[in-house]
């Protein structure tokens, strides 16, 4: 019954760790970035709207993002918990999530903050651009995404820290090392994990 958020700058390894952590915690991983990308690929109405913002390194407007998450969090498979990767990213999204969770009576258990320095992030994202060709992984767009993160998402760390929910984990090092750091930190907080 774990409800967790994964917050970190673009390129901090959130997506990779989200998949592993959702397995370790036996809860579904919900990545707003993945949901938007799959809508873009399928050419849905949401995808057409979202692509314009994503390709420019901007956030998709809160109204669209909040509706998407509200509907996903009403699905039966998240009743036993969830891992949100990449949501909330703005204060308005924090308010929305609070509202959604208040209605269920189940508060968040923990917010994992994955850190990584800017030079490392730009290197990782440019490498990913070469491998995966994501439209938002060009150098200019990457820099813009980092600015947007600093302006709009970094302030959320303070909000959740004041609630005593934040566990900060260094995102540098091998994927296994980072997973190990996160699972030890969760274990130390008494969060139930499946044996790996
Ligand atoms: P990253 O964080 O590495 O840039 P994501 O896959 O998490 O990659 O997100 C890709 C893009 O999807 C973001 O740059 C943004 O345009 C959009 N997006 C994802 N989550 C949100 C959100 N919570 N609010 C607004 N836009 C979002």
């Amino acid at each position: 019954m774990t409800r967790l958020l994964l917050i970190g700058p673009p390129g901090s390894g959130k997506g990779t760790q989200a998949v592993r952590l959702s397995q370790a915690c036996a809860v579904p991983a919900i990545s707003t970035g993945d949901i938007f990308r799959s809508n873009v690929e399928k050419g849905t109405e949401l995808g057409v709207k979202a692509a314009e913002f994503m390709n420019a390194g901007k956030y998709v407007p809160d109204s669209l993002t909040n509706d998407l998450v509200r509907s996903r969090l009403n699905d039966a498979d998240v009743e036993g918990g969830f891992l949100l990767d990449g949501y909330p990213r703005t204060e308005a999204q924090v308010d929305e999530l609070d509202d959604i969770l208040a209605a269920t009576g189940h508060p968040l258990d923990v917010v994992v903050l994955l850190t990584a320095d800017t030079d490392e992030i730009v290197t990782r994202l440019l490498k990913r651009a070469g491998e995966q060709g994501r439209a938002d992984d060009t150098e200019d767009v990457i820099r813009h995404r980092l600015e947007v993160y600093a302006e709009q998402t970094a302030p959320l760390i303070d909000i959740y820290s004041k609630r005593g929910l934040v566990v900060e984990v260094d995102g540098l090092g091998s994927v296994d090392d980072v997973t190990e750091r996160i699972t030890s930190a969760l274990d130390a907080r008494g969060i139930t994990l499946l044996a790996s």
Side-chain angles (χ1 to χ4, degrees):
M1 287 292 258
T2 307
R3 291 173 182 80
L4 69 153
L5 307 184
L6 197 50
I7 296 187
S12 58
K14 286 190 308 290
T16 307
Q17 297 299 332
V19 174
R20 293 170 155 231
L21 274 186
S22 76
Q23 283 162 2
C25 296
V27 293
I30 302 171
S31 156
T32 42
D34 283 351
I35 299 174
F36 285 134
R37 272 187 294 281
S38 107
N39 275 275
V40 173
E41 273 163 33
K42 290 185 202 135
T44 67
E45 199 183 325
L46 175 66
V48 171
K49 285 185 192 155
E52 184 194 328
F53 298 96
M54 294 170 78
N55 293 344
K58 295 180 181 164
Y59 284 170
V60 176
D62 286 332
S63 55
L64 291 177
T65 311
N66 285 338
D67 284 353
L68 171 86
V69 173
R70 184 176 279 277
S71 132
R72 181 67 185 88
L73 288 182
N74 276 317
D75 290 344
D77 67 323
V78 300
E79 270 168 29
F82 57 78
L83 181 159
L84 272 171
D85 158 22
Y87 182 95
R89 286 192 206 216
T90 65
E91 289 197 38
Q93 294 179 12
V94 170
D95 292 343
E96 179 81 4
L97 182 62
D98 284 345
D99 195 57
I100 297 169
L101 295 181
T104 67
H106 298 298
L108 286 175
D109 296 298
V110 65
V111 175
V112 176
L113 170 64
L114 207 52
T115 61
D117 70 43
T118 307
D119 287 346
E120 169 73 15
I121 284 173
V122 175
T123 308
R124 283 185 188 180
L125 292 176
L126 287 173
K127 182 163 172 271
R128 184 170 77 186
E131 291 163 0
Q132 298 177 5
R134 250 175 68 167
D136 58 350
D137 277 345
T138 62
E139 186 150 7
D140 283 354
V141 175
I142 290 168
R143 295 208 179 275
H144 186 64
R145 281 157 62 204
L146 288 168
E147 280 168 23
V148 174
Y149 176 84
E151 272 166 31
Q152 302 210 43
T153 305
L156 309 192
I157 298 161
D158 210 35
I159 297 178
Y160 287 121
S161 294
K162 285 187 177 133
R163 299 186 192 178
L165 289 175
V166 176
V167 165
E168 183 171 333
V169 175
D170 182 358
L172 292 189
S174 75
V175 171
D176 283 344
D177 285 349
V178 177
T179 307
E180 169 61 28
R181 275 178 218 142
I182 302 176
T183 48
S184 320
L186 294 180
D187 195 38
R189 281 185 72 106
I191 303 225
T192 316
L193 297 161
L194 298 180
S196 51

